[in-house]
Each structure stands twice: as structure tokens, then as C-alpha cells.
Amino acid sequence: MKRKWLIGILAVVGLAVLAQGGQKPQARFASLGGEGLKGSAVLVTLPSGEHWAFVQLEGLKPGSGSYANHIHFNDAGDANCKAQNGNKIVPLTNLVADANGKAVAYTLITADKVAAYPKGTTYFNVHANSPQAVGPSIACGDVSAVGD
């Protein structure tokens, strides 16, 4: 499943390169994990300044609803999952668990919403949906650069 996911994302990135006149987008990746949960996230930054975020997670309770997820960062540039110290966020489209406990979401982050990807380290964080709509972290993954 993970391989098909990445192949699909790479195909979309290839089309983006052609649409951008040959300029190369940058890709970043995060392996998501939590108690009984696993997934991945890919962030593509286009030369235009737009960002495409793709997040997939499995192991959720089937049909359990919507889960908020974000890219977290901070002014110090040292945000990471272990510390959960990303007090600033880039909001992403909610994940919605299907009948098999899997969820996939895509978010277009326009250039006017994020002029540039935050400096330093960042992480993807998926939040519990109870008791609050945006509860504590249930899955997290530190972002690493993949390259052009």
C-alpha cells in the first residue's frame, strides 16, 4: 500500500514539474505512527509557492469520524514529535475514517496562506477527535526532506 501511495504522489509531482515549466518542486516525507496507527505524509512545495499535502493513516476505529491534522512548527525551528513543541500550525484537511479504519486527505495550501515552508524542523500531527474535536496527538511524524 505504501509503495502504491508513493508512486501515485510521484506521478502527480511529475505532472507538476511539467506544468511549472521544468522548475523542480521540493518533496518532504513523514512516517506517521501512534499506538496501533501507521501512515505517511508527503508535502510537495511547488516553485509557484503552493504546497500540496497528502496524508494517509490506517488503524483508526472504523467509521469513527473526522480527525484534525496539521503541520506543526515553532519560531525556534526545532519542532518535533517527541517534544510536541510546535505551537504554530499549518491546518490540513481533516482525515475521515472509512469502514476499514483508513483515512486519506489532500490539502492545497495556496502561496498566499504559506509564503514559504517554515524554517527548521516540522512535524505532521493527527489529533484525537474526542473528547474535543481537536484532542491530543494520536499519530505523529517528523518531516524529512526527500529532495527535488
Side-chain angles (χ1 to χ4, degrees), residues 57-65 67 95-104:
L57 190 63
E58 41 189 91
L60 297 164
K61 181 179 175 187
S64 57
Y67 295 82
L95 293 162
V96 178
D98 67 12
N100 298 312
K102 296 179 182 179
V104 176

Side-chain angles (χ1 to χ4, degrees), residues 36-133:
L37 302 171
K38 64 180 179 177
S40 57
V42 176
L43 181 72
V44 178
T45 304
L46 300 175
S48 67
E50 288 183 338
H51 294 67
W52 298 343
F54 302 87
V55 180
Q56 68 92 20
L57 190 63
E58 41 189 91
L60 297 164
K61 181 179 175 187
S64 57
S66 180
Y67 295 82
N69 71 110
H70 311 94
I71 298 169
H72 286 252
F73 64 101
N74 63 25
D75 287 333
D78 64 354
N80 63 78
C81 287
K82 185 175 180 181
Q84 288 286 305
N85 61 344
N87 62 341
K88 297 183 179 188
I89 64 169
V90 176
L92 303 174
T93 303
N94 288 348
L95 293 162
V96 178
D98 67 12
N100 298 312
K102 296 179 182 179
V104 176
Y106 159 75
T107 306
L108 168 63
I109 306 164
T110 57
D112 62 322
K113 300 224 178 178
V114 176
Y117 190 72
K119 302 292 182 212
T121 58
T122 61
Y123 58 95
F124 280 84
N125 211 3
V126 179
H127 298 272
N129 60 2
S130 117
Q132 303 92 11

